[in-house]
Amino acid sequence: MRYLPLTDTDREDMLARIGVSDVDALFSDVPAGKLLKAPVDLPRAKGELEVERILGRMAGKNTAASAVPFFVGAGAYKHHVPATVDHLIQRSEFLTSYTPYQPEIAQGTLQYLFEFQTQVAALTGMEVANASMYDGSTGTGEAVLMAHRVTKRRKAVLSGGLHPHYTAVVETLSEMASDEVVVLKPDVSAQEDILSQIDDSTSCVVVQSPDVFGNLRDLKPIAEKAHAHGALLIAVFTEVVSLGAVVPPGAQDADIVVGEGQSIGNALNFGGPYVGLFAAKSKYIRQMPGRLCGETVDSTGQRGFVLTLSTREQHIRRDKATSNICTNSGLCVLAFTIHMTLLGQTGLARLAEVNHANAVKLADALAGVEGVTVLNDSFFNEFTVKLKKPAAEVVEVLAAKGILAGVPVSRLLPKAGLDDLLIIASTEVNTDEDRAALVAALVEVL
């Protein structure tokens, strides 16, 4: 198999057209001392069959999430995705479509984006949702920038329960814009005094529920204090299935709701691509990032779909754009929409119920293990335990036994002094046998 299917004649023709004598002339601006004296020490070209075998051996070193008892969460969750989802999204008209720059000939794409928005608005309890963001972390960064535009202020207060990766994205974007970010200390027990951090210079308060440690947060007092000072409440979630059981952020008076939609319709996929969910109160609609699809009728009265708002930098707004988001995670959005449609309201509530019940069973079992302390008073399908040994070491030992036990907090917060904490998730895919295996392994290791 040739990876560069060009003949010598092809290359000579191209060089002649460019006006140079040989390929080396294309690099004449590079100082001679900076050029390598020999080819890079990499394996030489191989045939397709050989490459498949090599990559297959490499892939075989991985432990697949579905192959062992799996309790890893902390922002990316193992859920069952019906075969129907993958079957439908692989249809050529879905798999090959991209972004609807010409809405009049992209009605199918616009319709499922419109349906997606409707579902997200219903899930979050908000008035309007967009279509859509890259993922939950970058969506959170966009939410903070949106709050700054709305309030004309530049200071964001971030809860100590916000996922550290989300915090890092906000800090990176804020540093580039010279915005102020107040990050509270990691809050394992959800007892932080975030209200005292809100003042008249605050643009927004960012709070995650369930938070990174699994705690459920009451957002109403925070929303009340924020609004009293002219600030916005940004509610964040990483586990969208939780919205099938908990009070939605919109019912707690959140102004902007943003989170990760991977849990519905999208597999773990080694960390991506995922799909960000973003919703807000309708009065802020013109400051929302990305774009919004709308429903209308054409000149003959037939139903049609349009890009109602598209304030993206590659569209007409240019320098007035609210975001530089350049895609809509379209295939992931479609997978989300199909799975959500299959579940329906009743199915989602049932799925959330099973998730919570499984986590409660596991937490109760772990509470009886010497050397394990469950720290949460409330949780959905994820909670934090304290071990009598460093969590990272325990995870490695259990991995060697064929059990993926969770995420050590030290992996997310390496300098926080929380090395004995382990975040554990138990979704609908975990069986009684899986939970028993984890408990037995911890009894042995601890």
Side-chain angles (χ1 to χ4, degrees), residues 142-153:
E142 293 280 358
V144 170
L145 296 179
M146 173 180 165
H148 292 344
R149 293 192 296 271
V150 170
T151 63
K152 304 297 192 292
R153 300 173 183 175

Side-chain angles (χ1 to χ4, degrees), residues 99 161 172 297 303 343 383 431:
T99 191
T172 299
V297 294
R303 184 190 191 200
L343 286 169
F383 53 88
T431 64

Side-chain angles (χ1 to χ4, degrees), residues 36-344:
L36 295 177
K37 307 239 185 281
V40 177
D41 184 19
L42 291 173
R44 307 312 299 162
K46 296 182 182 297
E48 182 176 355
L49 180 59
E50 294 172 294
V51 171
E52 286 181 353
R53 287 172 175 168
I54 293 170
L55 294 179
R57 286 195 295 270
M58 293 173 63
K61 297 178 181 180
N62 294 319
T63 299
S66 58
V68 296
F70 184 85
F71 302 95
V72 179
Y77 302 90
K78 172 65 176 172
H79 289 281
H80 171 67
V81 179
T84 307
V85 174
D86 286 338
H87 177 74
L88 290 176
I89 66 173
Q90 290 182 56
R91 288 180 61 96
S92 60
E93 58 265 52
F94 292 139
L95 196 60
T96 60
S97 65
Y98 181 53
T99 191
Y101 287 115
Q102 293 178 285
E104 65 278 6
I105 60 172
Q107 288 296 295
T109 299
L110 287 171
Q111 180 171 358
Y112 75 67
L113 293 177
F114 177 81
E115 302 294 348
F116 167 77
Q117 291 175 173
T118 305
Q119 291 172 339
V120 173
L123 279 169
T124 58
M126 301 300 287
E127 295 169 332
V128 61
N130 73 6
S132 61
M133 315 305 290
Y134 290 130
D135 54 32
S137 63
T138 53
T140 301
E142 293 280 358
V144 170
L145 296 179
M146 173 180 165
H148 292 344
R149 293 192 296 271
V150 170
T151 63
K152 304 297 192 292
R153 300 173 183 175
R154 314 300 297 181
K155 184 177 82 172
V157 176
L158 275 54
S159 164
L162 183 64
H163 195 295
H165 294 170
Y166 288 44
T167 297
V169 171
V170 173
E171 289 179 317
T172 299
L173 291 174
S174 298
E175 181 180 358
M176 296 300 102
S178 298
D179 296 334
E180 182 180 357
V181 181
V182 177
V183 181
L184 276 64
K185 293 182 179 179
D187 184 24
V188 180
S189 60
Q191 297 298 315
E192 63 188 358
D193 184 12
I194 198 169
L195 298 182
S196 66
Q197 300 296 322
I198 304 172
D199 56 31
D200 291 339
S201 66
T202 304
S203 163
C204 58
V205 186
V206 184
V207 184
Q208 179 178 327
S209 182
D211 67 20
V212 69
F213 301 106
N215 303 295
L216 294 170
R217 300 291 191 102
D218 183 1
L219 302 178
K220 290 182 179 179
I222 304 172
E224 183 177 353
K225 180 70 180 290
H227 296 158
H229 288 272
L232 304 185
L233 170 61
I234 299 175
V236 178
F237 57 87
T238 60
E239 172 54 290
V240 64
V241 175
S242 68
L243 297 179
V246 304
V247 177
Q252 300 185 66
D253 206 17
D255 298 287
I256 304 172
V257 180
V258 61
E260 179 55 63
Q262 170 268 322
S263 288
I264 297 180
N266 290 272
L268 288 168
N269 292 331
F270 294 96
Y274 287 169
V275 52
L277 311 184
F278 197 109
K281 293 179 177 177
S282 59
K283 62 183 177 181
Y284 304 129
I285 190 171
R286 289 193 173 275
Q287 292 301 329
M288 289 181 72
R291 60 191 179 188
L292 290 89
C293 298
E295 181 182 349
T296 186
V297 294
D298 63 16
S299 59
T300 63
Q302 291 185 315
R303 184 190 191 200
F305 298 91
V306 296
L307 284 176
T308 302
L309 289 174
S310 189
T311 52
R312 309 194 306 167
E313 98 294 341
Q314 75 272 46
H315 281 176
I316 196 66
R317 288 294 293 269
R318 301 292 183 179
D319 60 314
K320 296 181 180 179
T322 56
S323 170
N324 68 349
I325 289 289
C326 295
T327 186
N328 63 317
S329 298
L331 203 63
C332 299
V333 164
L334 180 61
F336 177 100
T337 303
I338 293 171
H339 192 183
M340 192 67 247
T341 302
L342 291 171
L343 286 169

